[in-house]
Amino acid sequence: MKNRLSSNLLFGLAAAAILAMPALAQESAAAESKGPEVKFSGEVEFDAYTGDVLNDDKQSHSYASTFDFNVDVQFNEKWSASVQLEADGETTDPTAIYNGAFIQYTHGENAAVKFGDLTFSEGAFLNYYGYDDPADNAAGMTEHDIRGFEVDYNGLIVGLGFGRGDNDNQVCTGEEDEEECVGVAYDAHLAYELGLGEHVLRPYVDYKSYQEAKHNELHAGLDANLKFGAFGLHAVYGLHSDYLGEDSPKAAHAFLAEPSLEIGKVNVKGTAFYAYFDEDEPTDHGEEIPEYFFAYAEPGVSVMDALALGIPLEYHTNTVDKNDDVSTFDVGVRAYFTPVEGLEVTGFAMVDIPVGDDAGDDAGLKFGVESVFSF
């Protein structure tokens, strides 16, 4: 009887295994062809600010809102793609728009090729909160958007493409009611990221042509991040020049130094920035260089894991024209609340004290709250 039961049991297990094999094969095939992996990520910021609460006859307030949404698609080990949506503006309801997409082929750890909508920027302000958006301000170069390709190989970055968005320029022909406009600018970018222990040096050059006679633009310089134990230094030299080959306008030179020190719960960060412009024929790229000189320092302390306080001390010339004496000295307090990773709320109060002869006579007081979360 036992032998018969054992034989029946073995037969049953063998039959079950045979019947299960097609199902296992189908499950394995489904796993191999399950399709691309899709990941969603993004960041949301919503801010509110007061105007000068001491001197305005009518109290005022203003807003800023930003929404960045990214969809990343991983097809296999080598092929991936990404698309971004963005809404950004000094309002409570900015319009969300397409912000670019690209496809990437990765060949090993140190080589990759991208093609599609790409963005390059260099020498951004890292420590000073007021100018830390490279879309608006940078010591090296604000964001240049292209539709083209980028090759990354062992720290070398080469990019080339047509200008897009604000990085393009239009040439229009025809009558007003039948006018046709086309983009004509192209942009070439070259950078090399050299790691030396904890130090990183990044020389770069960016050339943009407007496809007009001698109308072009050059950015070049060096971005350095140095680390010496608890002390760090971010330093940038940026050259900004237009109309290469012409005598005018003259190039602008930007110098940035951002030291930081962190010991236990105490930290100090600062920024010193100076830009030289030719007085008669300066190179001016809008808000790229916000003022010709400013200095900022903020000692801070961590009160608890979720709360830190800082005392910002700032001197601003508030202009790129040295003949305008509208400088101010600003002092206040900033509170950083980070209850969980990915969520930060910053509140501040700042007093603006006129220093320059043309800056007015009355000190001002303003408040603000900035809320950011990422996912």
Side-chain angles (χ1 to χ4, degrees):
M1 179 67 70
K2 290 183 179 179
N3 291 336
R4 184 180 299 174
L5 289 174
S6 299
S7 300
N8 291 339
L9 179 61
L10 291 174
F11 177 79
L13 291 174
I18 293 172
L19 292 173
M21 287 181 64
L24 291 173
Q26 290 179 359
E27 184 178 338
S28 177
E32 292 181 359
S33 60
K34 64 181 179 179
E37 296 181 1
V38 181
K39 294 182 179 179
F40 303 97
S41 62
E43 184 176 276
V44 178
E45 179 173 353
F46 48 98
D47 310 327
Y49 308 99
T50 70
D52 182 357
V53 300
L54 296 181
N55 302 301
D56 289 346
D57 295 334
K58 184 178 180 181
Q59 302 303 318
S60 66
H61 56 262
S62 60
Y63 308 103
S65 306
T66 301
F67 170 60
D68 292 319
F69 183 67
N70 306 316
V71 180
D72 297 308
V73 183
Q74 190 74 42
F75 298 100
N76 55 32
E77 293 182 353
K78 295 186 178 297
W79 288 96
S80 61
S82 180
V83 62
Q84 302 92 34
L85 299 177
E86 179 185 62
D88 186 26
E90 296 181 356
T91 176
T92 57
D93 55 352
T95 302
I97 59 173
Y98 169 85
N99 194 39
F102 64 85
I103 296 171
Q104 176 170 313
Y105 174 76
T106 303
H107 185 75
E109 295 182 357
N110 300 317
V113 178
K114 300 177 184 178
F115 55 95
D117 298 323
L118 308 170
T119 299
F120 301 101
S121 65
E122 301 288 352
F125 294 93
L126 300 183
N127 284 358
Y128 182 57
Y129 60 90
Y131 301 144
D132 61 354
D133 187 349
D136 299 322
N137 312 116
M141 184 187 79
T142 52
E143 291 181 351
H144 281 196
D145 297 325
I146 70 167
R147 175 162 288 184
F149 72 90
E150 174 187 336
V151 178
D152 300 345
Y153 180 72
N154 280 333
L156 178 66
I157 300 168
V158 180
L160 178 65
F162 300 118
R164 64 182 178 95
D166 293 338
N167 193 42
D168 206 354
N169 73 302
Q170 301 284 319
V171 173
C172 301
T173 58
E175 299 297 330
E176 184 174 348
D177 57 343
E178 297 181 357
E179 188 177 53
E180 293 184 0
C181 298
V182 295
V184 294
Y186 70 83
D187 204 307
H189 195 83
L190 178 66
Y192 181 68
E193 197 156 294
L194 175 63
L196 301 172
E198 293 189 87
H199 312 308
V200 178
L201 303 179
R202 183 183 172 99
Y204 65 89
V205 60
D206 187 280
Y207 174 81
K208 176 182 174 181
S209 173
Y210 290 84
Q211 297 293 328
E212 298 176 2
K214 298 183 179 179
H215 190 183
N216 41 27
E217 179 181 315
L218 178 70
H219 297 266
L222 175 66
D223 188 325
N225 278 285
L226 310 177
K227 185 70 174 176
F228 305 94
F231 177 77
L233 176 63
H234 174 229
V236 177
Y237 164 70
L239 168 71
H240 308 258
S241 184
D242 291 348
Y243 293 93
L244 305 178
E246 292 283 334
D247 293 334
S248 61
K250 303 297 190 300
H253 304 268
F255 304 88
L256 173 67
E258 295 190 295
S260 60
L261 177 66
E262 185 170 354
I263 301 177
K265 294 186 176 182
V266 178
N267 65 84
V268 181
K269 59 183 178 180
T271 300
F273 176 77
Y274 177 79
Y276 170 78
F277 292 91
D278 183 79
E279 295 183 359
D280 298 325
E281 297 172 316
T283 291
D284 183 11
H285 295 148
E287 297 181 353
E288 183 168 48
I289 297 177
E291 51 186 319
Y292 76 85
F293 174 72
F294 79 92
Y296 154 81
E298 183 177 337
V301 60
S302 296
V303 180
M304 57 183 70
D305 291 341
L307 180 64
L309 299 177
I311 300 176
L313 307 168
E314 307 175 20
Y315 174 80
H316 294 274
T317 57
N318 299 309
T319 179
V320 295
D321 188 348
K322 294 183 180 180
N323 295 319
D324 295 336
D325 193 5
V326 291
S327 56
T328 58
F329 177 75
D330 305 336
V331 61
V333 60
R334 291 174 64 84
Y336 304 91
F337 179 57
T338 54
V340 294
E341 184 178 356
L343 172 61
E344 180 175 298
V345 179
T346 303
F348 67 86
M350 293 292 294
V351 176
D352 301 331
I353 304 171
V355 177
D357 293 337
D358 302 323
D361 300 321
D362 299 323
L365 174 64
K366 59 185 178 181
F367 300 91
V369 177
E370 300 173 341
S371 304
V372 182
F373 66 87
S374 57
F375 57 91

